[in-house]
Amino acid sequence: MEGKLVGFATCGQQRTDSLKDDGFTAEFEAIYVLKKAQRLGLGSRLLKSVANASRLGGHTSVALWVLTTNLPAIRFYEAMGAYPIGSREDVRGDVSLEEIAYGWNDLNSIA
């Protein structure tokens, strides 16, 4: 896997008004690691990297959305100190996706 792209993460301004109103000004928009590269510490490093980028952008807290059926990701976020802060139904055509928001009040807790 050395020298190959096996994961990525993005972060930015919070896009959900209710989470912004609750003080979560940053959002982890995407965190992805290929299955074959999981459980090697890459996800933790990516999460810490986007937390640092958010801090440098002036943010102190962050949230993200995850499908309720994505139990490995939920366990990962909880192990990294996140806690549930909201839920929503995302309707896309004929498909309804249930999502849960996880948040960190203090980005420093991720570092």
Side-chain angles (χ1 to χ4, degrees), residues 74-90:
I74 288 171
R75 285 191 293 269
F76 170 72
Y77 299 136
E78 289 177 349
M80 295 297 293
Y83 60 94
I85 57 173
S87 62
R88 70 181 178 192
E89 180 181 18
D90 186 6

Side-chain angles (χ1 to χ4, degrees), residues 3-108:
K4 297 189 187 269
L5 180 63
V6 295
F8 67 91
T10 62
C11 60
Q13 298 286 335
Q14 181 57 247
R15 297 176 289 183
T16 306
D17 289 337
S18 62
L19 297 181
K20 193 183 309 180
D21 292 345
D22 288 341
F24 296 95
T25 60
E27 179 175 347
F28 291 165
E29 299 162 349
I31 301 169
Y32 181 78
V33 176
L34 286 175
K35 185 109 177 139
K36 66 182 179 182
Q38 291 177 4
R39 315 240 2 118
L40 300 174
L42 299 173
S44 299
R45 292 191 349 234
L46 280 171
L47 195 70
K48 290 174 184 180
S49 179
V50 292
N52 188 49
S54 294
R55 267 194 309 280
L56 291 173
H59 298 283
T60 57
S61 61
V62 65
L64 58 79
W65 289 99
V66 60
L67 292 171
T68 58
T69 56
N70 191 347
L71 298 179
I74 288 171
R75 285 191 293 269
F76 170 72
Y77 299 136
E78 289 177 349
M80 295 297 293
Y83 60 94
I85 57 173
S87 62
R88 70 181 178 192
E89 180 181 18
D90 186 6
V91 179
R92 297 181 186 195
D94 295 342
V95 177
S96 176
L97 304 171
E98 297 294 324
E99 295 178 303
I100 187 166
Y102 274 84
W104 290 264
N105 278 331
D106 183 4
L107 280 166
N108 292 316

